[in-house]
Amino acid sequence: MKLSGKTIQILKNFSTINPSIMFNKGNVLSTISPLKTVMARVTIDENIEQDFGIFDLNRFLAVLSLFDDPELILCENYVKVSDGRKSVNFIYADPVTMILPPNKEIKVGEPYISFDFTAEVQQNVLKAAAVLQLNTVAIAGEDGNLLIKAINPQNSSSNAFELTLGNTDKKCCINFDCNNLKLMSKDYKVNIAKGIGHFESSDGLNYWITTESSSKYED
């Protein structure tokens, strides 16, 4: 088995959510953060022949980078990574040592609000949050406008950034911890129900991210 560059990029992103991963038989990869505030799931092009766990995903990816065209041979207790004369035996992890996602995707339910979240908007708001040292990205409905903001919800007088996404009849301020917005740089369709947001790209990459308790919804 060989992993495409696209799949390796997904794994690099997943390693920022959870340092471990379970490869399940089939063609679906998923992960969940240790605090269970972020879950991600995607269908990949490759077909995984058997279940195996990797405890240190970053180290595994670093091993792959040692090879020009690595092939993965799944053995009983380890995956053999080889390319010509070179090889590395990478030992599987015991699943009991890992925090694993549920086997099925999360059902969000009826969305409270929906919008398009482009890669450009994502970059702008997260960069602003970093520059202004703010910890929260908010989706706000105010005076008929749908806004995305970088804020400090504990201090209304602090610096803030906002960008208009469109129009809405909702009045809300739905907050996400910046540390949970570990999205790949893509365009997403976002559906937010009370308590959770579902981010889905056109190529089938899905994230479910919990909203913060400081969020406010008005019917």
Side-chain angles (χ1 to χ4, degrees):
M1 179 178 70
K2 293 184 179 181
L3 299 179
S4 67
K6 177 182 176 181
T7 298
I8 289 174
Q9 289 304 311
I10 290 169
L11 289 171
K12 287 180 179 178
N13 173 254
F14 280 17
S15 73
T16 68
I17 299 172
N18 188 324
S20 304
I21 194 167
M22 189 73 189
F23 289 84
N24 294 310
K25 185 177 180 179
N27 63 347
V28 175
L29 292 177
S30 60
T31 191
I32 194 166
S33 64
L35 296 178
K36 300 184 178 180
T37 53
V38 184
M39 178 176 162
R41 185 180 177 92
V42 68
T43 299
I44 58 175
D45 296 331
E46 298 83 353
N47 184 61
I48 301 167
E49 299 171 356
Q50 68 182 57
D51 295 349
F52 66 98
I54 298 295
F55 186 76
D56 189 337
L57 180 54
N58 276 323
R59 181 172 295 180
F60 179 68
L61 292 170
V63 166
L64 296 184
S65 72
L66 297 173
F67 301 85
D68 294 327
D69 187 25
E71 182 174 0
L72 279 59
I73 301 170
L74 304 182
C75 303
E76 182 177 357
N77 298 312
Y78 60 88
V79 53
K80 182 176 182 178
V81 184
S82 65
D83 179 6
R85 294 183 301 168
K86 300 181 296 183
S87 68
V88 171
N89 294 341
F90 202 97
I91 304 299
Y92 299 145
D94 187 334
V96 301
T97 67
M98 304 160 63
I99 298 172
L100 303 178
N103 291 327
K104 57 184 179 180
E105 63 186 50
I106 299 170
K107 300 297 183 182
V108 171
E110 186 66 25
Y112 173 82
I113 199 166
S114 302
F115 60 95
D116 293 322
F117 187 40
T118 66
E120 181 182 8
V121 169
Q122 176 188 344
Q123 181 181 19
N124 285 338
V125 71
L126 292 178
K127 182 177 181 180
V131 168
L132 296 172
Q133 297 184 320
L134 300 168
N135 58 8
T136 300
V137 167
I139 306 302
E142 298 177 2
D143 301 322
N145 295 312
L146 181 63
L147 309 172
I148 188 165
K149 299 181 174 184
I151 63 171
N152 179 351
Q154 284 76 45
N155 183 2
S156 59
S157 63
S158 67
N159 296 323
F161 167 89
E162 69 178 46
L163 186 154
T164 302
L165 296 175
N167 301 320
T168 185
D169 59 356
K170 301 291 187 181
K171 294 181 180 179
C172 59
C173 186
I174 305 170
N175 297 332
F176 292 93
D177 188 326
C178 288
N179 292 322
N180 289 335
L181 292 174
K182 299 180 182 296
L183 307 168
M184 290 189 72
S185 182
K186 294 177 179 286
D187 296 342
Y188 296 91
K189 180 68 176 179
V190 182
N191 291 304
I192 302 177
K194 293 183 179 180
I196 192 165
H198 178 205
F199 298 70
E200 182 176 13
S201 72
S202 60
D203 58 354
L205 180 57
N206 293 269
Y207 299 86
W208 293 267
I209 303 175
T210 59
T211 60
E212 296 298 292
S213 59
S214 55
S215 300
K216 297 177 181 178
Y217 308 80
E218 294 185 21
D219 295 325

